[in-house]
């Protein structure tokens, strides 16, 4: 563990936890403005979390430890990813865990834990949401693996820090066919993984369209606060991953305070910009029918496969 990796491992989770609800608030405000509404303000997610944390924790009768521990697993896995992934610094706090496969498994573990919690309630909505989520994740996770693997072929390593450092040293790779195909595939994956339009609608409670919301309907109080915080954190993590895999400029390469500050500011700015683009795009999109979602995800998987083929061909 280097000093740069240690600093990144300490700073990155603090920024993710503190700024993720603000990112969610900014995105909601952008959507509200584009739709002609005033909006609740960018601090509303933090106000909601504060209100939920003050409430009494409740659990449906008959649920097991799976239901109670799922929010903790979701937050914990996202925090680990925030610690090890090179967001603000090129070095990772725990190099072996910054591997592509380890990070994808950690992200998938949180999703599976929440799906099991939805099944544990024994309700129709929970089971429906879990079933839909498993359908989506079965198509999303291979695409995520293959898209980033396409970037790792030319580096010779599946370590995310190595991929980011290589892109930083060879900026021409950003506009290569491999990067462009992988970027589009990864963008679709992020939309699906974070429950955004057109795959899911984070602001709906209509039973025919819910996916993520259906799994967490039985949560209340502090448990719901953890789920909402983890959802915002996962969005920040995915957007940060997209930003630094393809546009790593500004990331800190030394442990100097000025370099760390620039790295954090650059990371936050890139994530905020991607969030604004995502929120603005959602205004002009409608939710796809559930049976059309696999077609979209299959298309993204095909793009990821083409990126891998191109990486071997151009290697």
């Amino acid at each position: 563990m280097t000093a740069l990796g240690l600093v990144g491992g300490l700073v990155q989770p603090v920024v993710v936890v503190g700024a993720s609800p603000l990112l969610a608030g900014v995105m909601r405000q952008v959507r509200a403005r584009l739709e002609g509404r005033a909006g609740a303000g960018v601090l509303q997610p933090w106000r909601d979390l504060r209100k939920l944390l003050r409430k009494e924790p409740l659990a449906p009768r008959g649920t097991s430890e799976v239901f109670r521990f799922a929010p903790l697993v979701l937050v914990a896995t996202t925090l680990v990813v925030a610690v090890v992934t090179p967001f603000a610094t090129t070095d990772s706090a725990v190099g072996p865990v910054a591997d592509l496969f380890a990070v994808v498994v950690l992200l998938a573990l949180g999703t599976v834990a929440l799906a099991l919690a939805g099944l544990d309630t024994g309700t129709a909505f929970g089971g429906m949401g879990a079933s839909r989520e498993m359908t989506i994740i079965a198509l999303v996770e291979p695409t995520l693996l293959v898209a980033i693997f396409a970037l790792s072929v030319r580096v010779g390593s599946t370590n995310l820090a190595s991929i980011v450092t290589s892109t930083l040293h060879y900026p021409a790779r950003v506009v290569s066919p491999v990067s462009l195909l992988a970027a589009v595939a990864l963008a679709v994956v992020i939309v699906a993984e974070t429950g955004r339009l057109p795959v899911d609608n984070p602001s709906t409670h209509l039973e025919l369209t819910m996916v993520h919301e259906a799994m967490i309907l039985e949560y209340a109080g502090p448990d719901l606060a953890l789920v909402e915080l983890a959802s915002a954190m996962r969005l920040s993590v995915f957007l940060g991953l997209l930003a630094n895999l393809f546009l790593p400029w500004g990331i800190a390469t030394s442990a100097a305070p000025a370099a760390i500050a620039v790295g954090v500011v650059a990371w936050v700015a890139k994530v905020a910009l991607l969030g604004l683009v995502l929120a603005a795009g959602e205004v002009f999109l409608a939710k796809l029918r559930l049976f059309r979602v696999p077609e979209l995800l299959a298309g993204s998987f095909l793009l990821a496969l083409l990126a891998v083929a191109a990486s071997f061909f151009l290697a």
Side-chain angles (χ1 to χ4, degrees):
M1 181 187 298
T2 64
L4 181 60
L6 179 60
V7 172
L10 294 174
V11 171
Q12 290 175 179
V14 173
V15 176
V16 167
V17 173
S20 293
L22 292 178
L23 175 64
V26 169
M27 293 177 65
R28 292 179 189 175
Q29 193 69 18
V30 169
R31 287 192 60 179
R33 293 293 185 179
L34 291 177
E35 292 171 355
R37 298 181 287 110
V42 297
L43 295 178
Q44 187 59 43
W46 268 119
R47 289 192 286 264
D48 292 339
L49 292 176
R50 182 182 60 184
K51 180 179 68 174
L52 290 171
L53 289 172
R54 292 176 176 176
K55 292 188 175 183
E56 179 185 0
L58 298 173
R61 183 179 301 174
T63 54
S64 67
E65 283 73 17
V66 172
F67 180 85
R68 288 181 279 276
F69 287 127
L72 295 176
V73 173
L74 190 63
V75 171
T77 53
T78 309
L79 273 178
V80 172
V81 174
V83 169
V84 304
T85 307
F87 290 136
T89 61
T90 52
D91 288 352
S92 173
V94 188
V97 187
D99 185 80
L100 160 64
F101 298 98
V103 169
V104 172
V105 167
L106 285 170
L107 292 171
L109 179 60
T111 304
V112 171
L114 198 60
L116 290 175
L119 290 173
D120 193 46
T121 61
T123 62
F125 283 147
M128 177 189 66
S131 174
R132 292 176 174 180
E133 186 67 22
M134 288 300 98
T135 301
I136 293 172
I137 196 176
L139 297 169
V140 163
E141 297 305 323
T143 305
L144 181 60
L145 281 170
V146 174
I148 303 180
F149 179 73
L151 303 178
S152 70
V153 170
R154 58 195 181 190
V155 180
S157 171
T158 56
N159 187 276
L160 295 178
S162 299
I163 297 174
V164 170
T165 303
S166 176
T167 306
L168 192 63
H169 291 164
Y170 302 98
R173 289 178 173 177
V174 174
V175 293
S176 67
V178 176
S179 294
L180 296 177
L181 290 169
V184 175
L186 191 57
V188 176
V189 164
I190 291 173
V191 168
E193 274 278 12
T194 56
R196 314 298 302 191
L197 289 170
V199 176
D200 190 15
N201 189 347
S203 60
T204 185
H205 280 86
L206 180 63
E207 61 270 19
L208 295 178
T209 60
M210 285 190 298
V211 179
H212 174 77
E213 293 295 325
M215 296 187 293
I216 66 173
L217 277 178
E218 302 299 323
Y219 280 109
D223 291 334
L224 181 57
L226 288 177
V227 173
E228 295 292 347
L229 177 60
S231 299
M233 289 166 56
R234 284 171 66 88
L235 177 60
S236 297
V237 164
F238 273 108
L239 292 180
L241 192 61
L242 177 64
N244 274 10
L245 284 176
F246 301 99
L247 299 171
W249 294 286
I251 191 170
T253 57
S254 70
I260 297 296
V262 171
V264 171
V265 171
W267 169 38
V268 171
K270 286 182 286 188
V271 170
L273 180 60
L274 289 174
L276 292 176
V277 172
L278 180 59
E282 286 182 332
V283 176
F284 305 98
L285 295 174
K287 187 182 181 303
L288 288 175
R289 293 177 58 192
L290 181 63
F291 297 111
R292 297 295 301 276
V293 171
E295 297 177 8
L296 175 65
L297 300 180
S300 67
F301 182 67
L302 178 59
L303 292 176
L305 285 178
L306 291 174
V308 171
S311 65
F312 280 109
F313 179 77
L314 297 174

